[in-house]
C-alpha cells in the first residue's frame, strides 16, 4: 500500500486519545418515524448495522416491523409505551398481556434492552397520566420478572421541565415535586433515570456559543466553585443536583434525547447546519471522552441523539430537521468526532461520502437552561466532505502504543504528517 493511503488509515486517531473510545462508547439514535418517505425498517436496520457505528436505537412505539427488522443485529432497542397506552398497565394483568403481545414475540432475537413508559409525562399537567406513571413502570417491571426476563429495564424519559424554574447555576437545580419515589424505584430496580436535555431549548442570543460547545466566557457556579464551559454539562449537573437533594445521586443517568435542528424558519434563533454539526459533533466527542461533567467527573452517559431521520410530517420546519440522515440514507452532515477525523464521518464504518443540506425529524422538549461556563476546546464544525476516501478502524483491543508505532512508521516514511499534528491544518 502506498504511504499516502496508509496515512489516511491512521489519520483519525492521531494524537487524540479520545478517538479510539469511539469504538466502545454508547451512542444511539432516536428512530422517529413521523414521515411518509422513510426507507423500510429492514433497510434501516441493515444500514445501521453495516454502515455505521450506531449500536442502539430508541423507538417511540413497539412497531412489530421495526422490532423484527432489528432481530439478530445485536443493536439494542429501547421501545416506548405511548402516553395514551400506559395508564391501564398500572394493573399487573394488563402489564403482563402487554409484555406478552409486545415483547415476548421478539425477545431475545431482538435485543430489546429497555422499555420507556410514556414520554416526558411528569412535566405535563395531566394528573391522570402522572398518577399512573410509576405504578405502570412497577407493573411492567413485575410482568417482565414473571416472564423471567431480567435484562430489560423499565424507565421513563423526562424533559428538563421536571426541574423547578431556575436561571441560576447548576447547583441550584431541584425537582418540582417529590421525585424521591421514582428515584427509589430506579435504585431498587437498577434502572436509569432518563433525561432529555436540549440546550437548543435553553438558548438565548448570548448563549449560542455556550450551547454549541464553542469557545465562550463560561459560567461560574459560586456554590460549588465549578466553571461550566457548555450548557449540556450545566443541564446534566442541574439534574444531578436535584437528584442529590433528594438523596439519589447514585442512580444512573441516560440521555434519552438530545439534538439540534439543521434547518428551520429563517429567523429562528440558533437553527443552522453549522450549529447542528457543532452541537452534535462536540456532544458526541464530549460524552465519549469519558470526562463527565464538573459534578459527575469521569462518568459516561449512554446518549441517544435526536434523531436518526429528518421527519417530514413533523409540525414545524425545525422539528422536521433534527435528523442525522435524509430518508435516502444520505447523511445530512458529518458529525466530527476527532480533530483529525474530518476525513471520517463519525458514524460510518469505512467510507465517507456525506453530502450537506438540511434534513430530519424531531420531538419537542422544553428545557430550562442553567448557565455554565469557561472556554471550551473548539471542534471545528465541518461542512461535510465529499471525497469518498476509505480508511480503517483500529481493533478495539489495539493499544495506544501500538497505534502510535504504526503512526510513527507511516510518518517516518516520507509522508507529510504536519496536518494531523497539534496545531496542524484543520481540513
Ligand atoms: C421462570 O423460571 C422458573 C424457574 O426456572 C420456572 O419455574 C418458571 O416456569 C419460569 N416462568 C416462565 C414464564 O417461563
Ligand atoms: C452566588 O451568586 C449569587 C448571585 O449571582 C448570590 O445571590 C449568592 O449570594 C452567591 N452565593 C455565594 C455563596 O457567594
Ligand atoms: C473558575 O474560573 C475562575 C475565574 O476564571 C477561577 O478563578 C477558578 O479557579 C475556576 N475554578 C475552577 C474549579 O477551575
Ligand atoms: C477522573 O479520572 C482522572 C484520570 O484518570 C483521575 O485523575 C481522577 O482522579 C478521576 N476523578 C475522579 C473523581 O474519579
Ligand atoms: C465498506 O464499504 C463498502 C462500500 O460501501 C461495503 O461494501 C463494505 O461492506 C464495507 N465494509 C465494512 C467492513 O463495513
Ligand atoms: C486483538 O484481538 C484480535 C482478535 O480480535 C486478536 O487476533 C489479536 O491478537 C488481539 N491483539 C492483542 C494485542 O490482544
Amino acid at each position: 500500500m502506498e504511504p499516502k493511503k496508509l496515512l489516511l488509515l491512521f489519520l483519525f486517531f492521531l494524537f487524540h486519545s479520545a478517538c479510539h473510545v469511539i469504538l466502545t462508547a454508547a451512542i444511539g439514535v432516536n428512530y422517529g418515524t413521523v414521515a411518509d418517505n422513510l426507507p423500510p425498517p429492514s433497510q434501516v436496520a441493515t444500514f445501521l448495522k453495516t454502515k455505521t457505528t450506531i449500536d442502539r436505537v430508541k423507538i417511540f412505539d413497539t412497531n412489530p416491523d421495526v422490532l423484527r427488522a432489528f432481530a439478530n443485529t445485536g443493536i439494542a432497542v429501547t421501545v416506548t409505551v405511548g402516553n395514551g397506552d400506559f395508564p391501564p398497565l398500572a394493573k399487573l394483568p394488563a402489564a403482563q398481556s402487554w409484555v406478552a403481545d409486545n415483547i415476548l414475540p421478539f425477545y431475545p432475537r431482538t435485543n430489546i434492552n429497555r422499555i420507556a413508559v410514556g414520554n416526558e409525562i411528569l412535566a405535563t399537567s395531566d394528573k391522570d397520566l402522572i398518577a399512573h406513571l410509576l405504578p405502570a413502570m412497577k407493573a411492567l417491571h413485575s410482568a417482565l420478572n414473571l416472564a423471567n426476563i431480567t435484562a430489560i429495564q423499565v424507565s421513563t424519559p423526562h424533559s428538563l421541565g421536571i426541574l423547578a424554574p431556575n436561571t441560576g447555576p447548576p447547583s441550584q437545580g431541584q425537582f418540582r415535586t417529590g421525585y424521591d419515589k421514582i428515584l427509589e424505584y430506579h435504585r431498587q430496580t437498577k434502572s436509569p433515570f432518563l433525561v432529555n436535555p436540549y440546550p437548543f431549548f435553553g438558548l438565548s442570543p448570548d448563549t449560542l456559543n455556550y450551547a454549541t460547545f464553542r469557545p465562550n466566557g463560561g459560567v461560574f457556579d459560586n456554590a460549588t466553585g465549578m466553571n461550566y464551559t457548555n450548557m449540556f454539562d450545566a443541564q446534566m449537573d442541574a439534574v444531578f443536583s436535584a437528584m442529590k437533594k433528594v438523596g439519589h445521586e447514585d442512580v444512573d443517568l441516560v440521555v434519552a434525547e438530545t439534538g439540534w435542528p439543521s434547518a428551520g424558519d429563517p429567523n429562528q434563533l440558533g437553527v443552522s447546519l453549522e450549529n447542528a454539526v457543532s452541537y452534535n459533533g462536540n456532544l458526541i466527542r464530549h460524552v465519549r471522552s469519558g470526562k463527565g461533567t464538573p459534578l459527575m467527573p469521569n462518568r459516561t452517559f449512554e446518549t441517544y441523539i435526536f434523531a436518526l431521520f429528518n421527519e417530514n410530517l413533523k409540525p414545524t420546519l425545525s422539528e422536521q430537521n433534527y435528523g442525522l440522515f435524509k430518508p435516502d440514507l444520505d447523511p445530512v452532515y458529518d458529525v466530527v468526532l476527532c480533530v483529525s477525523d474530518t476525513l471520517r464521518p463519525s458514524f460510518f464504518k469505512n467510507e465517507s461520502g456525506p453530502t450537506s443540506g438540511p434534513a430530519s425529524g424531531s420531538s419537542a422538549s422544553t428545557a430550562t437552561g442553567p448557565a455554565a461556563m469557561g472556554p471550551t476546546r473548539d471542534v471545528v464544525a465541518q461542512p461535510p466532505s465529499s471525497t469518498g476516501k476509505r480508511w480503517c478502524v483500529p481493533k478495539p483491543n489495539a493499544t495506544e502504543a501500538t497505534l502510535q508505532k504504526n503512526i510513527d512508521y507511516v510518518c517516518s516514511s516520507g509522508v507529510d504528517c504536519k496536518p494531523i499534528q497539534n496545531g496542524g491544518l484543520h481540513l
Side-chain angles (χ1 to χ4, degrees):
M1 191 181 299
E2 64 184 275
K4 268 236 160 73
K5 278 203 190 123
L6 254 184
L7 174 58
L8 274 181
L9 300 187
F10 297 116
L11 263 178
F12 91 92
F13 41 76
L14 250 209
F15 307 130
H16 202 278
S17 59
C19 292
H20 61 267
V21 178
I22 286 168
L23 301 163
T24 52
I27 298 287
V29 289
N30 281 275
Y31 175 11
T33 55
V34 186
D36 60 11
N37 56 358
L38 298 183
S42 57
Q43 199 181 335
V44 174
T46 303
F47 172 71
L48 291 179
K49 171 82 180 161
T50 61
K51 297 284 204 278
T52 77
T53 58
I54 293 164
D55 67 351
R56 57 201 64 219
V57 299
K58 176 166 159 286
I59 62 176
F60 292 94
D61 50 27
T62 53
N63 183 337
D65 292 336
V66 173
L67 292 178
R68 269 190 291 270
F70 281 95
N72 306 315
T73 59
I75 292 174
V77 181
T78 295
V79 299
T80 299
V81 191
N83 288 357
D85 299 331
F86 75 76
L89 307 189
K91 295 208 166 71
L92 183 58
Q96 285 180 285
S97 23
W98 188 91
V99 167
D101 292 345
N102 296 284
I103 302 292
L104 300 185
F106 310 103
Y107 181 85
R109 263 173 305 130
T110 299
N111 180 19
I112 300 171
N113 69 337
R114 195 171 290 144
I115 299 172
V117 181
N119 195 28
E120 304 189 345
I121 293 301
L122 290 183
T124 69
S125 50
D126 191 322
K127 291 206 167 64
D128 184 58
L129 290 182
I130 292 171
H132 286 91
L133 182 61
L134 185 53
M137 288 164 65
K138 286 180 170 170
L140 282 166
H141 178 73
S142 301
L144 290 168
N145 279 344
L146 290 170
N148 285 344
I149 297 175
T150 54
I152 301 182
Q153 300 172 327
V154 180
S155 189
T156 182
H158 303 282
S159 79
L160 292 210
I162 55 173
L163 298 177
N166 167 31
T167 51
S171 59
Q172 302 310 301
Q174 60 181 49
F175 294 124
R176 282 172 191 275
T177 47
Y179 273 67
D180 32 343
K181 281 199 191 122
I182 200 163
L183 286 165
E184 185 56 35
Y185 158 86
H186 287 306
R187 176 185 280 167
Q188 279 170 9
T189 60
K190 297 188 170 34
S191 54
F193 194 61
L194 308 187
V195 294
N196 298 346
Y198 276 95
F200 177 68
F201 293 114
L203 198 58
S204 66
D206 52 355
T207 57
L208 182 61
N209 286 343
Y210 181 55
T212 53
F213 296 87
R214 292 182 172 110
N216 65 90
V219 173
F220 180 59
D221 186 333
N222 68 358
T224 57
M226 294 297 181
N227 293 318
Y228 285 83
T229 59
N230 66 80
M231 198 186 288
F232 174 80
D233 277 355
Q235 293 189 342
M236 293 300 283
D237 276 359
V239 172
F240 176 78
S241 300
M243 292 168 75
K244 196 169 175 185
K245 279 172 193 151
V246 294
H248 287 85
E249 70 270 28
D250 55 326
V251 168
D252 260 357
L253 271 170
V254 164
V255 177
E257 270 187 44
T258 190
W260 199 285
S262 63
D265 293 318
N267 296 320
Q268 208 175 344
L269 179 64
V271 177
S272 73
L273 185 67
E274 291 70 26
N275 290 341
V277 173
S278 183
Y279 179 75
N280 281 328
N282 284 305
L283 170 84
I284 291 169
R285 274 176 61 94
H286 182 58
V287 170
R288 284 179 163 168
S289 73
K291 231 170 69 179
T293 70
L295 296 183
M296 295 179 275
N298 300 349
R299 266 176 72 171
T300 54
F301 310 103
E302 193 183 333
T303 297
Y304 292 79
I305 305 288
F306 192 93
L308 178 54
F309 290 116
N310 280 339
E311 292 170 73
N312 67 348
L313 299 180
K314 285 287 174 98
T316 69
L317 205 51
S318 66
E319 284 180 284
Q320 292 166 15
N321 287 283
Y322 274 81
L324 299 173
F325 294 96
K326 302 175 199 175
D328 64 3
L329 299 174
D330 247 6
V332 177
Y333 49 81
D334 291 1
V335 175
V336 178
L337 284 176
C338 302
V339 171
S340 53
D341 77 353
T342 53
L343 289 171
R344 180 182 181 274
S346 63
F347 288 130
F348 285 92
K349 281 194 167 148
N350 73 354
E351 196 159 357
S352 92
T355 58
S356 69
S360 132
S362 106
S363 95
S365 256
T366 50
T368 55
M373 69 136 291
T376 183
R377 184 156 42 135
D378 187 19
V379 174
V380 185
Q382 288 298 336
S385 69
S386 54
T387 50
K389 295 195 174 94
R390 301 173 134 245
W391 41 82
C392 300
V393 174
K395 284 185 178 142
N397 60 358
T399 64
E400 190 112 28
T402 311
L403 295 182
Q404 192 61 54
K405 260 192 214 149
N406 282 296
I407 292 160
D408 290 344
Y409 167 76
V410 176
C411 293
S412 65
S413 64
V415 174
D416 178 14
C417 285
K418 283 201 196 76
I420 56 173
Q421 286 167 352
N422 270 340
L425 168 78
H426 283 200
L427 295 176

